[in-house]
């Protein structure tokens, strides 16, 4: 069964440092999502891509977060500088054209700890 | 998208049916009810969805009340592996419709 690949699985970084996460969606999935999940809460959407274009980044803290999907395939989420409050699980998901439930497949996430 | 209300937690015995309730009293006619679950340290996993008819697949059954203001996810024979957080989500159809997660309900299956 096809999977969404994410790396690294775990990341520990010092505050004020830069950190980056990588996501490789299921082949052929045009829509890619980045979610953030704080411990004890449900995932929160940060950014949605349709191919290489950003469709929704209204919840992305743009002063420190950036996301790109240059060739419309894999994607990188960056935080610079990291803050203690950024400690969370960062989840990537992909979907067929943003429609329907079947295409919403999540990766296993990157757990970020900022110290 | 309409909001959902779920109790924070419940438990059930292994082998018994787990009935997980969800309230969505402000649901609109074009909104579907989705259920996802998240096992510890993994990403959410799709379980089932429905509009107004009851639905069943290999994982679970979804019972939606006639007025569509509430629903119940049924795991017919819960196993220890079903211990997870279950999210009930109301979502419109359409290309830009998103999955918006609440806190979900934590199901603990006891031996």
């Amino acid at each position: 069964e096809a999977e969404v690949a994410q790396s690294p699985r775990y990341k520990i970084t010092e505050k004020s440092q830069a950190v980056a996460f990588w996501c490789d969606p299921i082949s052929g999935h045009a829509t890619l999502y980045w979610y953030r999940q704080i411990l004890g809460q449900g995932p929160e959407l940060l950014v949605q891509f349709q191919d290489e274009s950003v469709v929704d980044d209204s919840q992305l803290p743009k002063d420190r977060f950036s996301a790109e999907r240059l060739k419309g395939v894999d994607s990188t989420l960056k935080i610079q500088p990291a803050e203690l409050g950024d400690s969370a699980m960062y989840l990537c998901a992909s979907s067929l054209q943003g429609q329907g439930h079947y295409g919403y497949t999540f990766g296993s996430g990157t757990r970020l700890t900022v110290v | 998208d309409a909001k959902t209300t779920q109790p924070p937690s419940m438990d059930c015995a292994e082998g018994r049916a787990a009935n997980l309730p969800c309230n969505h009293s402000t649901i609109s006619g074009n909104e579907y009810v989705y259920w996802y679950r998240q096992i510890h340290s993994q990403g959410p996993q799709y379980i089932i969805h429905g509009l107004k008819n009851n639905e069943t697949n290999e994982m679970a059954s979804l019972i939606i009340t006639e007025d569509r203001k509430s629903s119940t996810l049924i795991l017919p024979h819960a196993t220890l592996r079903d211990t997870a957080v279950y999210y009930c989500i109301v979502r419109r159809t359409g290309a830009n419709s998103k999955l918006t997660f609440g806190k979900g309900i934590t199901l603990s299956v006891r031996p």
Side-chain angles (χ1 to χ4, degrees), chain A residues 9 35 37 40-43 45 48 55-56 89 91 97-102 104 106-108, chain B residues 34 36 38 40-46 49 87 91 94-103:
Chain A
R9 187 75 175 90
Y35 282 81
Q37 185 172 25
Q41 299 184 19
L45 180 67
Q48 176 183 347
V55 173
D56 183 357
M89 174 78 85
L91 292 159
Q97 297 296 325
Q99 297 190 36
H101 62 279
Y102 299 109
Y104 251 99
F106 284 83
S108 295
Chain B
Y34 287 78
Y36 277 71
Q38 187 173 23
H40 183 62
S41 295
Q42 297 183 21
Q45 174 193 22
Y46 165 80
H49 80 294
Y87 298 98
R91 178 188 178 210
N96 292 324
S97 178
K98 308 170 187 55
L99 277 181
T100 302
F101 291 82
K103 291 187 176 181

Side-chain angles (χ1 to χ4, degrees), chain B:
Chain B
D1 296 329
K3 293 188 69 174
T4 63
T5 304
Q6 299 177 259
S9 63
M10 66 175 290
D11 63 21
C12 74
E14 189 176 19
R16 304 299 295 268
N19 298 303
L20 287 71
C22 180
N23 203 303
H24 32 78
S25 58
T26 61
I27 192 170
S28 301
N30 64 347
E31 290 180 319
Y32 285 72
V33 179
Y34 287 78
W35 283 83
Y36 277 71
R37 76 177 182 183
Q38 187 173 23
I39 295 171
H40 183 62
S41 295
Q42 297 183 21
Q45 174 193 22
Y46 165 80
I47 301 174
I48 199 167
H49 80 294
L51 182 62
K52 55 184 178 180
N53 297 319
N54 298 337
E55 303 287 345
T56 296
N57 63 20
E58 66 279 5
M59 291 182 67
S61 295
L62 174 60
I63 308 298
I64 302 174
T65 59
E66 191 169 346
D67 64 6
R68 303 211 318 127
K69 292 184 177 181
S70 65
S71 60
T72 301
L73 179 74
I74 301 173
L75 307 179
H77 305 287
T79 70
L80 298 179
R81 294 180 183 179
D82 292 322
T83 292
V85 178
Y86 288 77
Y87 298 98
C88 172
I89 301 167
V90 170
R91 178 188 178 210
R92 293 175 289 109
T93 56
N96 292 324
S97 178
K98 308 170 187 55
L99 277 181
T100 302
F101 291 82
K103 291 187 176 181
I105 178 172
T106 299
L107 173 67
S108 300
V109 180
R110 60 181 188 274

Side-chain angles (χ1 to χ4, degrees), chain A residues 13-93:
Chain A
T13 191
E14 294 182 349
K15 65 177 181 178
S16 79
Q17 295 298 304
V19 64
F21 315 125
W22 178 79
C23 171
D24 190 12
I26 292 174
S27 178
H29 280 195
T31 310
L32 184 146
Y33 313 82
W34 282 101
Y35 282 81
R36 176 174 61 185
Q37 185 172 25
I38 296 171
L39 192 64
Q41 299 184 19
E44 171 196 21
L45 180 67
L46 292 176
V47 62
Q48 176 183 347
F49 287 92
Q50 183 68 29
D51 299 307
E52 66 277 7
S53 300
V54 173
V55 173
D56 183 357
D57 63 357
S58 57
Q59 300 303 311
L60 188 71
K62 298 181 189 63
D63 57 336
R64 298 185 299 108
F65 286 64
S66 63
E68 61 183 16
R69 193 184 183 198
L70 293 178
K71 298 182 179 179
V73 181
D74 59 338
S75 175
T76 302
L77 179 69
K78 297 179 181 178
I79 307 175
Q80 183 174 16
E83 296 180 352
L84 296 177
D86 296 331
S87 294
M89 174 78 85
Y90 290 83
L91 292 159
C92 179

